[in-house]
Amino acid sequence: MSVLDAFPTRPLRANRIGISCLTGCFVVLVGFAFAGGMAWWQAEDLWRDYKISRSYEIADDARISNGECKTRKLIFTDCSATILAADGASSRVEMMFVDMQTGGYETGVVRSREDPRLLTLELGVEKISDRILTFLAFVGGFAVLGIAGLAMLFKASRLRRAVAKPVVMRPVVAKVLTQTRTWLNHTIKYEYSLDGKTRKATSILKKNEIPFFLDTEERQVLAVVPQTTSTPILLDAGLEMLDLTDEERAAVHAAVSPVQDDIRLDRSMRW
């Protein structure tokens, strides 16, 4: 009897779903906080320098004070300086761009021909295209991270509603893509086929838990998909994710007992 045939067909309740709301909230906060922080840091200066870049001239009556550029990770450069205007007014300039240059930068002060009150560094105008692309990449990337966190929370909420009452679970064989262990948990990314479509999913187990592997190479795992949704629940080796009876757990384990025994033996020898 295969493990799929041995799996119970009665409605089951899920004890856990393998999706962490805490992780989802953290990802949302980090993603949108960094996106907002980057926008707050760069947007105003970028918009001013874009307006100046459309038509500008050298401002010989202004000078630079406390100018500094730092290169991080070999390519990310951020520069800051204080510009002192002829009338004594001062303004702080901040900019960030991607550049492979290893030496210093020489620059002067420029002003907008349309609005002479607008002053900035000539370097900022010369790098305006790079700055816009860098800004969009950072803000967009962090915003996407935040959206991914929202999607995780939405998926968790939908799955919890789907298993709020006992429901028939469809067992599926999934292929492990990656496994990541941290001091907090064990994250498994995998793909599975459902209704003729190949889908990908990520599940989180406790740090000392392992999935219900179906082969000694640990490439295939057992998951279940509630009948009312397409989001899977990855099963742990002890089958504690679901409210199975002892007899049902024994029947599923018996279907792959030689494999499970080999896995336990292999792990005991490694650990």
Side-chain angles (χ1 to χ4, degrees):
M1 179 183 294
S2 72
V3 67
L4 300 183
D5 295 331
F7 202 84
T9 57
R10 70 177 179 89
L12 299 169
R13 188 186 301 276
N15 297 324
R16 288 181 286 135
I17 61 174
I19 301 177
S20 172
C21 287
L22 182 62
T23 300
C25 290
F26 177 76
V27 171
V28 169
L29 289 175
V30 169
F32 288 126
F34 274 86
M38 181 64 67
W40 176 81
W41 177 37
Q42 290 289 307
E44 184 177 357
D45 283 354
L46 192 59
W47 175 241
R48 178 204 60 225
D49 289 4
Y50 171 74
K51 291 190 293 184
I52 294 175
S53 70
R54 293 183 298 183
S55 178
Y56 63 91
E57 61 186 8
I58 300 296
D60 293 325
D61 56 349
R63 61 188 181 88
I64 301 171
S65 175
N66 299 323
E68 182 182 30
C69 286
K70 295 180 180 179
T71 300
R72 312 174 194 276
K73 304 297 183 182
L74 300 180
I75 60 173
F76 297 110
T77 300
D78 61 86
C79 299
S80 61
T82 299
I83 296 178
L84 303 176
D87 60 1
S90 64
S91 58
R92 189 68 176 170
V93 175
E94 304 276 354
M95 67 185 68
M96 183 182 67
F97 50 89
V98 174
D99 196 359
M100 299 292 290
Q101 181 172 321
T102 56
Y105 294 91
E106 293 185 5
T107 187
V109 180
V110 295
R111 65 161 46 94
S112 169
R113 286 195 177 99
E114 298 175 358
D115 185 355
R117 296 172 302 172
L118 297 180
L119 298 171
T120 191
L121 299 179
E122 187 176 9
L123 177 65
V125 173
E126 293 173 347
K127 298 287 187 180
I128 192 66
S129 296
D130 292 339
R131 291 172 62 195
I132 292 174
L133 291 176
T134 302
F135 175 81
L136 293 177
F138 272 90
V139 174
F142 285 122
V144 167
L145 182 64
I147 293 171
L150 289 176
M152 184 185 300
L153 292 176
F154 175 76
K155 185 179 293 186
S157 176
R158 184 176 58 185
L159 184 56
R160 280 198 173 87
R161 290 197 303 269
V163 298
K165 297 179 179 180
V167 62
V168 173
M169 305 280 187
R170 295 171 287 180
V172 295
V173 175
K175 177 184 177 183
V176 175
L177 300 177
T178 63
Q179 295 188 67
T180 304
R181 285 185 180 274
T182 68
W183 63 272
L184 190 62
N185 55 40
H186 184 185
T187 302
I188 302 95
K189 294 184 179 181
Y190 55 98
E191 63 180 17
Y192 63 103
S193 295
L194 185 69
D195 300 329
K197 295 182 179 179
T198 299
R199 308 166 189 262
K200 293 184 178 181
T202 301
S203 292
I204 299 175
L205 300 179
K206 296 177 181 179
K207 65 177 182 179
N208 293 325
E209 282 184 328
I210 61 172
F212 192 95
F213 288 113
L214 301 177
D215 61 340
T216 54
E217 291 79 19
E218 301 185 0
R219 295 176 181 173
Q220 292 185 326
V221 290
L222 182 63
V224 294
V225 182
Q227 200 171 44
T228 51
T229 183
S230 61
T231 303
I233 298 174
L234 184 69
L235 298 184
D236 61 298
L239 298 177
E240 299 294 335
M241 301 289 281
L242 305 178
D243 64 343
L244 298 170
T245 65
D246 292 340
E247 291 77 13
E248 289 169 336
R249 287 192 179 91
V252 175
H253 276 292
V256 290
S257 57
V259 172
Q260 294 290 327
D261 291 341
D262 288 344
I263 291 174
R264 282 193 290 269
L265 176 62
D266 179 57
R267 286 181 174 272
S268 66
M269 293 176 65
R270 281 186 289 164
W271 297 352

